[in-house]
Amino acid sequence: MHVPPNLALLLTLGFLFFLLAREIQGQQRVTGAIWIPMLWLVIIGSRFVSQWLDIFGIHLGGEGSAEDGSPLDACCFGLLIAAGVYVLVQRRVRLAEVVRNNRWLALFMAYCFLAIFWSDDPFIAFKRWLKVIGHPIMVLIILTEPDPEEAITQLLKRCAYVWVLISVLFIKYFPEYGRGFDPWTGAATNGGITTNKNILGLDLYISGAFFFWYFLKVRKMEKGKKRRNELILIALFGCMIIWLLHMAQSSTSLVAVLIASASMVFVGLRLVKPQYMGTYLLAAAVTGVVAEGVFGIYSSFLKLLGKSPTLTDRTLVWHDLLQIQINPIIGTGFESFWMGDRLKLLWAKWWWHPNQAHNAYLETYLNLGLVGLFLLLGWFVATFQKARRDLVKGSDWGRFRMAFLLASIFYGWTEAAFKALDPVYFISFLIAMDYPRSEFANAAQPVETESTQTDMELAPSVARNSLANNETGCHDLSQAQLALQNWGKNIP
């Protein structure tokens, strides 16, 4: 059945608003502050504000430059960061507590700040660092919610609603926004809500991993209407994500979703002991090395995915990047490799003008050197330890942490995922960071305790007054008995 584009737009927006309203009404353990990180993640996972305005023919803030970006976008990100800082100040979040609970991450960010000073353009590098610092600020808003795990669920669910629904709408009914053509082969490509298929693949990787994790959580819920509705919702979005993965033709994202899903299933098996996760990973790595040496599974894997041995010229670019002379210890400076003469040299050779290494580890080496790679490794190890700790405790969040970490390590092989405003970079901060339950998160508990204490103090007096005036009827006598019963229940 053919649906007119304008009608499809109205139906999609109506369904989207219904889903968002449903989530808002059904949750009292998440505050309105969650909209700040949600806007942050939706924007970096789709199009920047200036690009959205361009769709409507509104051109504000100028074109910007490859180094600086759009002034309008910088202003929007700055406002979100300022709003985030305000929320954290109101919640009395302490920087010392953040550092104490996230030492490797703090070291990595501190080193990134130092790397600004040996950049080709320290001012541009500093502005890029300020944007990246927005990731942990947004994560801290989530971690200081009354129920952090529910806040994470709400964040990822709401972002997936926007990414998936608008991507389907754009690809099917507004191809001028959701589709394009490969400049080299001329083949049609699908970017959906984003500007290219690789970013759409990022969104689908995050959304697919989240909905599979959420499915495992919902399965354990008590049978009822709520459980049934959530399973229907998961099935609906699961089908749309599978269709979008097919349309995007993003092999890396597909494999990452499969790795994340398989990891969640594995760590949930009864025979698997979470405290031995390191041993399991070591055994898997050794098995992979042996299988590659004996059977050459890497080339067979690439053929299965329809990839060339050069990974669409990625390996050729890697070779050229390693020929450029840099300081191997400290790199070229924070996010500064793709500047000046180096950028001109590479663009002169490669017609498609690469602006990243398409390998997270090579990208880190080029910008931050071996020191940066070491700190990134420490970040991963610390995240692994936190995920294992949560798994030992039986936490569902530990399952997502472990699975997304393993899948993202693979994802970084063909994409520079741990830099700038990459959605996977944001989720990497999310799974890596801890913060103890704050005074704000526990604010509801003292109120409830105070109310209980007041009831305990008043119950005997209410009972005495009712018994003293029992001549007014049995209603007062019943009231006295009920008051005494409630008082007895509240005695510690």
Side-chain angles (χ1 to χ4, degrees):
M1 180 179 68
H2 176 71
V3 178
N6 289 336
L7 178 59
L9 174 62
L10 290 176
L11 292 174
T12 301
L13 293 179
F15 186 46
L16 175 59
F17 291 144
F18 164 76
L19 291 175
L20 293 176
R22 174 177 175 269
E23 299 299 332
I24 295 171
Q25 293 174 0
Q27 294 300 331
Q28 286 78 40
R29 296 174 294 171
V30 177
T31 70
I34 197 176
W35 287 100
I36 300 173
M38 178 194 164
L39 284 174
W40 179 274
L41 186 53
V42 164
I43 290 172
I44 66 176
S46 59
R47 304 170 192 236
F48 290 175
V49 174
S50 62
Q51 295 171 322
W52 280 111
L53 292 177
D54 285 343
I55 291 180
F56 302 102
I58 303 174
H59 306 286
L60 297 176
E63 295 294 330
S65 64
E67 292 82 8
D68 290 328
S70 165
L72 175 62
D73 295 328
C75 181
C76 292
F77 288 125
L79 289 174
L80 287 175
I81 291 174
V85 171
Y86 174 79
V87 170
L88 298 181
V89 170
Q90 294 299 308
R91 295 179 177 181
R92 300 178 182 178
V93 173
R94 298 182 295 274
L95 180 60
E97 199 69 45
V98 175
V99 174
R100 187 178 302 114
N101 287 273
N102 307 279
R103 289 186 175 89
W104 278 101
L105 187 56
L107 281 173
F108 181 82
M109 293 304 298
Y111 176 71
C112 288
F113 180 78
L114 290 176
I116 292 172
F117 295 99
W118 56 82
S119 166
D120 292 346
D121 192 327
F123 182 62
I124 291 178
F126 176 66
K127 290 193 294 184
R128 292 177 176 178
W129 184 85
L130 285 179
K131 288 182 180 179
V132 171
I133 208 69
H135 291 324
I137 289 173
M138 299 302 150
V139 169
L140 284 171
I141 294 176
I142 301 166
L143 297 181
T144 53
E145 285 287 305
D147 187 341
E149 186 169 324
E150 182 59 35
I152 292 169
T153 301
Q154 287 295 309
L155 171 75
L156 297 179
K157 190 190 286 188
R158 296 179 192 184
C159 289
Y161 289 161
V162 178
W163 290 337
V164 173
L165 290 177
I166 302 301
S167 290
V168 172
L169 175 72
F170 277 10
I171 291 174
K172 285 186 66 67
Y173 297 101
F174 295 91
E176 63 271 29
Y177 305 133
R179 295 188 175 188
F181 295 93
D182 189 294
W184 178 251
T185 64
T189 59
N190 296 286
I193 194 174
T194 73
T195 55
N196 63 72
K197 75 182 190 73
N198 289 332
I199 302 178
L200 177 59
L202 291 173
D203 296 345
L204 298 176
Y205 162 40
I206 295 171
S207 301
F210 162 72
F211 272 112
F212 190 83
W213 172 70
Y214 188 55
F215 166 72
L216 295 176
K217 282 187 63 177
V218 171
R219 282 180 68 247
K220 297 187 293 185
M221 292 172 57
E222 184 179 353
K223 291 186 177 180
K225 182 178 179 181
K226 181 179 180 180
R227 179 178 183 271
R228 183 179 67 251
N229 289 342
E230 292 302 306
L231 289 175
I232 292 173
L233 182 72
I234 293 169
L236 175 62
F237 274 85
C239 291
M240 287 190 284
I241 289 171
I242 291 172
W243 181 78
L244 286 171
L245 282 169
H246 170 71
M247 298 300 292
Q249 293 295 300
S250 178
S251 303
T252 304
S253 299
L254 174 61
V255 175
V257 172
L258 294 176
I259 291 175
S261 302
S263 299
M264 291 181 205
V265 172
F266 177 77
V267 299
L269 296 176
R270 293 183 179 180
L271 297 177
V272 174
K273 304 298 181 183
Q275 55 267 33
Y276 299 136
M277 281 302 301
T279 304
Y280 299 146
L281 289 179
L282 180 60
V286 171
T287 302
V289 171
V290 172
E292 168 61 20
V294 176
F295 303 107
I297 60 172
Y298 181 69
S299 58
S300 301
F301 181 67
L302 292 179
K303 291 179 181 178
L304 180 64
L305 295 177
K307 290 284 189 180
S308 66
T310 64
L311 296 174
T312 320
D313 289 345
R314 282 177 171 83
T315 57
L316 302 179
V317 174
W318 298 345
H319 178 269
D320 288 348
L321 293 176
L322 290 173
Q323 302 307 309
I324 297 177
Q325 295 297 317
I326 65 168
N327 187 318
I329 306 300
I330 62 175
T332 57
F334 179 71
E335 295 195 7
S336 299
F337 178 83
W338 301 90
M339 287 184 182
D341 294 336
R342 292 184 297 270
L343 184 65
K344 293 177 182 178
L345 177 66
L346 292 166
W347 281 16
K349 179 172 182 179
W350 297 99
W351 63 269
W352 46 281
H353 292 175
N355 58 6
Q356 59 155 297
H358 285 280
N359 182 295
Y361 315 106
L362 179 57
E363 185 78 21
T364 301
Y365 168 74
L366 296 173
N367 289 313
L368 302 174
L370 293 175
V371 175
L373 274 177
F374 173 75
L375 293 175
L376 182 65
L377 176 61
W379 175 354
F380 289 163
V381 172
T383 304
F384 172 81
Q385 292 173 340
K386 292 177 180 180
R388 183 176 59 185
R389 177 202 64 200
D390 288 348
L391 287 172
V392 171
K393 293 179 180 178
S395 168
D396 287 323
W397 175 233
R399 177 180 285 191
F400 183 86
R401 264 181 150 173
M402 183 66 73
F404 199 88
L405 172 65
L406 298 179
S408 295
I409 290 173
F410 160 80
Y411 196 91
W413 182 249
T414 59
E415 298 294 339
F418 310 124
K419 63 169 287 186
L421 298 177
D422 192 292
V424 172
Y425 200 25
F426 174 87
I427 305 298
S428 297
F429 276 92
L430 183 61
I431 64 173
M433 293 184 68
D434 277 338
Y435 191 82
R437 290 184 66 83
S438 63
E439 296 177 5
F440 177 83
N442 294 322
Q445 186 175 352
V447 175
E448 182 180 354
T449 304
E450 181 180 351
S451 175
T452 302
Q453 184 176 3
T454 302
D455 291 342
M456 291 174 63
E457 293 172 353
L458 291 179
S461 61
V462 171
R464 286 195 299 269
N465 291 337
S466 298
L467 289 171
N469 298 286
N470 59 9
E471 66 274 6
T472 58
C474 63
H475 173 72
D476 289 334
L477 184 58
S478 299
Q479 182 179 0
Q481 292 173 342
L482 180 61
L484 288 172
Q485 288 174 0
N486 290 334
W487 181 57
K489 291 180 180 178
N490 288 324
I491 295 176

